[in-house]
Amino acid sequence: HKLIMWSHMPGDFDDKKGMEDMYHEASKTISPGSIIALHDHPKCLDKCLYYINLIAEKDIGFSSMHHLE
């Protein structure tokens, strides 16, 4: 196994963090090569989809962790 650390934790799990906060972080810090930790828990789904769409608007591609191994 290979240890892979994330460079961004947008807080999709944090009830105190709103989508506006996530937008500001994504617009300032996400770039090609960033590793973003998002959660697949049902309570995070709306924020995850919102965040993914923000990144897609920046024309940055996606890959799974399997691709990094």
Side-chain angles (χ1 to χ4, degrees), residues 6 8-17 22 37-41 43-45 47-48:
W6 61 81
H8 299 283
M9 175 72 77
D12 56 332
F13 58 88
D14 187 351
D15 291 333
K16 295 177 184 174
K17 196 167 199 178
M22 294 175 71
L38 294 171
H39 300 84
D40 60 357
H41 190 277
K43 88 172 203 173
C44 304
L45 183 60
K47 287 183 179 178
C48 282

Side-chain angles (χ1 to χ4, degrees), residues 20-39:
E20 186 74 18
D21 299 319
M22 294 175 71
Y23 171 78
H24 288 297
E25 179 181 333
S27 64
K28 293 178 185 176
T29 61
I30 300 300
S31 62
S34 294
I35 298 176
I36 305 162
L38 294 171
H39 300 84

